[in-house]
Amino acid sequence: MTMEESSVPFLSSAEAAVESAARKTKIKPLSLLPLVALIFYDVSGGPFGTEDAVSAGGPLLAILGFLLLPIIWSVPEALITAELATTFPENSGYVAWVTAAFGPFWGFQEGFWSWVSGVTDNSLYPVMFLSYLDALVPGLRTGWQRTILLVVVSLALSYLNYRGLHIVGHTAVFMTGFIILPFLVLMCLALPHIKPGNWGVVDWKALQWGDFLNVMFWNLNYWDSVSTLAGEVPNPAKTFPKALFGAVVLVTTTYALPLIVGLGVSTDIADWKLGYFASLAKQVGGHWLSWWMVAAAAVSQIGQFEAEMSSDSFQLLGMAERGFLPKALGRRSKHDTPTIGIILSSLGVLSLSTFNFLQIVELLNIVYCLAELMEFAAFIYLRFKVPGLYRPYRVPLPNWAVTLMLLPAGALLCVILALPIARGDWQMMAWTGGTIVVGLLLYPFLQLARQKEWFEFVGETPHDFQTNLYASLPVVSGSDLNTRPVINGAPVMTADELHVGQAQEPLVAAPPPAAADPDQADEI
């Protein structure tokens, strides 16, 4: 996510708008290949983290999962991201979608849930790096060494983010190549040792469905993160669908092929834990390949940590610039980074460092599911209620068909949300309920703080953001006025319809005149 590069189009502060515009002129637009690489980093970052799907579900289900789940989950999420990101080409992404559909209260909930999920996700990457390093330097998974190293690594990476280290453009292309290359070497060296019979192994009695579904889902989520890059992509109507399609193929391939080859060599489920690809590389190619795999894991985890930290901290900055949060969260350091946003996100990462990999995955998934259900609802609502909104890219299906397309994905989200209830996991239920309650209470508290002037906010309110969001969007010329966005009680009009050449104000139809009193109503 690159909210730091946002043009922030709806600021009421002229100074902030000018400053943001100055930053915008320095940004090189994202072309197709760098965009594919950035999506790959948001969603995957390589096969690291797929190992626990094998230990939880066995070889057969793990292989089938990474071949079939992209069709059920990744493709539908990528398609609605393509439509909504091109319809709302601004860097607040999913917050804008939900705000446009249901208003600023639910837009705030979407932003809050996404931030909590993102911070929780970011706490995974130091844990994953230590797990891979442990394959070569045993003793890093437990004890005081683990705690100290996790804190040191997290603080060091947060500081790098504060200094302005971000994963963008062609850097992401290079890093993606560096991550994939050792797996290509591993697969070539392992081919002579593959036993195809290994792929059909499954122990139905030993299945851990909850862990299996959570690991699979985590490895294939966050396709919507690319929406926050919408403002940086020229011709998004063509570039976004191509980039998302390419990324789906790349992610699926980089998950499935190393897993298929690796399981053809070793099916001992007890060995398939986080970090096992480094051990497999040592078995197949020797120490040199194992160290290369650890180096690739380090590049992947560092890159994903920095990308997620930027996303989380700049999301807070972007919400502050749009009036959702106090102005202080929108202040930038001398390195042009959001200091308070990084501090808050770092504290969240550190607070979760005592949890293990599977616990963190479940914590982030359950909050992410809430945000995704909200995005699905916003997509369906806008399709049915505002069909006159101009969509540069439109999923080539009628409304009833896209609704059916989202049903399996929506069912998966509901299943993951229901897992803690089915297992009687009170910790997860408390985490979910607490997150919902905090979000529901925080928005009205912040609006009260604005009214009482307890904190300083930018001049624009969240309701202003919703109005300006619709005012900036084109509509389909000649479409039914009842199918268009409404501003100040009137539908948005096109310039041709109003016979205006260069309009400087939002193009809306004049609302019907109000009667002076009830007796005059019949005369108007």
Side-chain angles (χ1 to χ4, degrees):
M1 176 177 184
T2 56
M3 267 196 187
E4 70 272 27
E5 299 168 352
S6 171
S7 59
V8 194
F10 308 129
L11 286 177
S12 59
S13 167
E15 181 180 358
V18 170
E19 178 187 354
S20 181
R23 286 193 299 270
K24 183 76 172 180
T25 60
K26 301 177 183 179
I27 300 169
K28 295 181 179 179
L30 281 170
S31 56
L32 180 61
L33 190 58
L35 185 58
V36 170
L38 287 170
I39 298 172
F40 173 79
Y41 245 94
D42 279 332
V43 175
S44 170
F48 311 107
T50 60
E51 301 98 326
D52 283 272
V54 177
S55 61
L60 178 62
L61 290 184
I63 292 172
L64 291 177
F66 281 110
L67 291 175
L68 299 178
L69 198 58
I71 299 173
I72 297 171
W73 168 252
S74 300
V75 171
E77 190 188 8
L79 285 173
I80 70 168
T81 296
E83 177 168 321
L84 291 174
T86 54
T87 303
F88 300 90
E90 79 117 56
N91 290 357
S92 60
Y94 34 74
V95 174
W97 310 345
V98 176
T99 299
F102 306 125
F105 175 82
W106 291 110
F108 178 87
Q109 306 308 313
E110 172 72 18
F112 178 70
W113 295 339
S114 297
W115 180 78
V116 171
S117 175
V119 169
T120 310
D121 179 64
N122 219 18
S123 66
L124 273 175
Y125 302 121
V127 172
M128 293 175 68
F129 172 66
L130 290 187
S131 296
Y132 266 82
L133 191 59
D134 182 78
L136 298 177
V137 186
L140 300 180
R141 289 178 183 262
T142 59
W144 61 268
Q145 302 97 321
R146 177 185 186 273
T147 302
I148 291 177
L149 283 172
L150 283 176
V151 171
V152 170
V153 170
S154 299
L155 290 177
L157 293 178
S158 297
Y159 177 72
L160 288 175
N161 199 271
Y162 166 76
R163 291 297 302 267
L165 176 62
H166 307 303
I167 308 304
V168 296
H170 293 285
T171 303
V173 176
F174 170 78
M175 294 174 70
T176 299
F178 183 82
I179 291 166
I180 293 175
L181 194 55
F183 285 97
L184 293 176
V185 174
L186 171 66
M187 288 189 289
C188 291
L189 294 176
L191 281 176
H193 309 288
I194 288 178
K195 298 177 180 178
N198 292 351
W199 298 331
V201 175
V202 59
D203 184 353
W204 296 104
K205 295 181 180 179
L207 280 178
Q208 303 170 50
W209 283 109
D211 290 344
F212 175 71
L213 287 175
N214 271 295
V215 172
M216 292 295 306
F217 181 73
W218 171 73
N219 274 287
L220 290 164
N221 65 15
Y222 287 104
W223 293 94
D224 56 332
S225 295
V226 72
S227 67
T228 59
L229 298 170
E232 322 305 333
V233 179
N235 195 6
K238 291 185 177 180
T239 306
F240 257 100
K242 291 179 180 178
L244 284 163
F245 175 78
V248 168
V249 173
L250 179 62
V251 168
T252 304
T253 303
T254 54
Y255 279 154
L257 289 183
L259 202 62
I260 290 171
V261 173
L263 287 170
V265 175
S266 172
T267 56
D268 190 341
I269 293 179
D271 291 338
W272 281 86
K273 298 289 185 180
L274 183 64
Y276 181 65
F277 274 116
S279 300
L280 185 63
K282 182 179 178 180
Q283 174 186 338
V284 172
H287 283 283
W288 66 272
L289 185 57
S290 185
W291 276 108
W292 190 3
M293 191 67 69
V294 171
V299 169
S300 174
Q301 310 318 323
I302 291 172
Q304 287 187 285
F305 185 98
E306 297 302 332
E308 187 67 61
M309 179 62 73
S310 294
S311 174
D312 299 336
S313 58
F314 277 103
Q315 180 181 333
L316 296 181
L317 179 144
M319 292 178 72
E321 289 178 330
R322 287 157 177 80
F324 285 93
L325 296 173
K327 186 177 180 180
L329 275 78
R331 292 173 184 162
R332 299 171 184 257
S333 70
K334 62 181 179 180
H335 306 291
D336 203 33
T337 53
T339 305
I340 297 179
I342 291 174
I343 291 173
L344 291 175
S345 298
S346 299
L347 290 175
V349 169
L350 290 173
S351 68
L352 294 164
S353 61
T354 58
F355 291 84
N356 64 39
F357 174 75
L358 289 174
Q359 288 173 324
I360 296 173
V361 165
E362 188 168 5
L363 288 172
L364 74 91
N365 276 351
I366 205 161
V367 179
Y368 182 76
C369 286
L370 295 174
E372 281 303 300
L373 285 173
M374 186 70 73
E375 291 176 24
F376 284 11
F379 174 80
I380 296 299
Y381 178 89
L382 291 170
R383 264 299 191 100
F384 278 91
K385 295 294 185 180
V386 198
L389 190 64
Y390 175 64
R391 294 166 168 84
Y393 171 79
R394 180 184 175 93
V395 178
L397 294 170
N399 291 350
W400 65 267
V402 292
T403 303
L404 289 178
M405 177 189 74
L406 292 179
L407 286 180
L412 175 63
L413 294 173
C414 293
V415 168
I416 293 174
L417 283 171
L419 281 174
I421 300 174
R423 295 187 305 195
D425 191 335
W426 291 101
Q427 182 185 48
M428 291 299 167
M429 287 188 278
W431 167 264
T432 308
T435 302
I436 293 173
V437 170
V438 170
L440 293 177
L441 295 178
L442 190 55
Y443 181 80
F445 169 77
L446 290 172
Q447 301 316 301
L448 179 63
R450 176 192 286 272
Q451 295 173 5
K452 299 293 186 179
E453 298 183 350
W454 295 338
F455 305 114
E456 185 180 3
F457 291 77
V458 297
E460 181 185 64
T461 69
H463 287 282
D464 293 334
F465 171 60
Q466 181 185 23
T467 299
N468 291 332
L469 183 65
Y470 269 140
S472 69
L473 297 174
V475 294
V476 179
S477 181
S479 59
D480 187 342
L481 295 182
N482 293 325
T483 69
R484 303 183 184 186
V486 175
I487 301 175
N488 298 327
V492 175
M493 306 284 283
T494 66
D496 289 341
E497 289 166 338
L498 291 179
H499 305 290
V500 177
Q502 297 292 328
Q504 300 299 319
E505 300 295 333
L507 300 178
V508 298
D517 57 62
D519 295 334
Q520 296 176 341
D522 294 336
E523 300 175 9
I524 295 179

